[in-house]
Amino acid sequence: MAGQSDPHLSIFSPSEVEFVAEDEIVEIVPNIRMEALNMICGDFGPFFPQIPSKVPLWLAVALKKRGKCTIRTPDWMAVDRLTQVLDAERESPKEFQPLPFHYIEISKLLFDHARDDISDAYLVRSLIEDIRDVRFHKVETGLETISGRTHAVKLKNLSAMEVNIVRPFMVRTLQAFYKHDSPQMIQQADNTGSRTTPVTDRGPRRDLRRSLNLLTVFE
């Protein structure tokens, strides 16, 4: 998907989407005793050896790099669960199965930094890649069905990375059809085409779930 590498087509870069995903909560098993960590985003701990604790993914990765914990693989990354999801994705060409909003980024971070904590890592990675490919194929197939009579599109259960890739294409396609079918829009565009819109500071980056809400409208 070209939008991933084109800053004019994607809202966020893949690394920015991954950065947002690092706030997702995961479970770790510390191998040391450590006092509570007081962060701006919250307090985590205290930590005790072999006692599971829930922390943000970025903190789990930081502790893992220092050899202070293992990271428990999320339940949805179990081979049986992923196999069921893949089968359901293949059997339902027009529906997306529910998965964590950041499933692509979470799995990538775990494979990059905690591969040794993942059971059947090779099979799990293969299943996730297959699921991602099937879902992207559904999106591409769906884009081919858009016509000038389409006024809106409903997409349910897309992940953050999928939304980030698909939304710019979807919006531009619908805008192109609308402009083509609306003489007033064409005239207005011609009259304002030479005007320059000042660039303003958009403030903090919006939650990607707001982008998902923009996509979830009815046809």
Side-chain angles (χ1 to χ4, degrees):
M1 304 286 285
Q4 254 183 304
S5 58
D6 188 338
H8 298 292
L9 294 179
S10 289
I11 302 174
F12 299 93
S13 69
S15 59
E16 288 175 324
V17 180
E18 186 176 293
F19 177 78
V20 176
E22 290 178 352
D23 285 333
E24 293 294 310
I25 300 298
V26 296
E27 193 170 64
I28 64 171
V29 180
N31 52 34
I32 61 168
R33 182 187 179 93
M34 187 166 57
E35 297 298 325
L37 299 175
N38 306 117
M39 307 289 185
I40 294 177
C41 58
D43 299 331
F44 305 99
F47 302 97
F48 302 94
Q50 305 308 312
I51 303 298
S53 182
K54 293 184 178 181
V55 299
L57 183 53
W58 62 266
L59 179 56
V61 170
L63 294 174
K64 175 67 178 180
K65 287 181 176 179
R66 291 164 175 76
K68 295 183 177 181
C69 76
T70 58
I71 302 177
R72 284 190 170 178
T73 305
D75 292 340
W76 61 267
M77 285 183 64
V79 171
D80 291 344
R81 170 60 179 157
L82 291 174
T83 301
Q84 293 174 359
V85 171
L86 179 58
D87 291 341
E89 291 284 0
R90 287 172 171 168
E91 293 172 0
S92 305
K94 295 184 179 180
E95 296 181 0
F96 296 90
Q97 299 303 307
L99 281 168
F101 189 60
H102 291 287
Y103 84 93
I104 294 176
E105 306 87 270
I106 293 173
S107 60
K108 180 181 182 300
L109 287 166
L110 292 180
F111 278 113
D112 287 347
H113 304 289
R115 186 183 182 89
D116 56 322
D117 294 335
I118 303 174
S119 300
D120 300 316
Y122 178 81
L123 181 56
V124 170
R125 185 166 195 161
S126 177
L127 286 168
I128 291 175
E129 289 177 350
D130 288 344
I131 290 171
R132 182 193 61 191
D133 291 343
V134 170
R135 289 166 69 97
F136 281 162
H137 177 70
K138 288 182 183 180
V139 170
E140 292 172 349
T141 302
L143 290 175
E144 294 175 355
T145 65
I146 294 179
S147 67
R149 301 180 63 184
T150 302
H151 299 288
V153 177
K154 179 181 179 181
L155 295 175
K156 186 178 180 181
N157 293 328
L158 286 187
S159 71
M161 191 68 75
E162 292 161 350
V163 169
N164 192 54
I165 293 172
V166 171
R167 182 174 178 268
F169 289 102
M170 193 75 71
V171 171
R172 289 189 178 187
T173 299
L174 293 177
Q175 286 177 340
F177 281 128
Y178 181 61
K179 181 178 179 180
H180 177 74
D181 292 339
S182 176
Q184 292 180 347
M185 178 66 73
I186 295 175
Q187 183 177 2
Q188 182 180 0
D190 291 340
N191 293 336
T192 61
S194 59
R195 298 179 185 175
T196 302
T197 302
V199 178
T200 57
D201 182 7
R202 294 181 180 274
R205 290 177 298 177
R206 296 171 299 176
D207 189 333
L208 287 181
R209 289 179 177 83
R210 292 182 62 188
S211 296
L212 181 60
N213 290 334
L214 292 176
L215 270 178
T216 310
V217 291
F218 290 93
E219 181 175 357

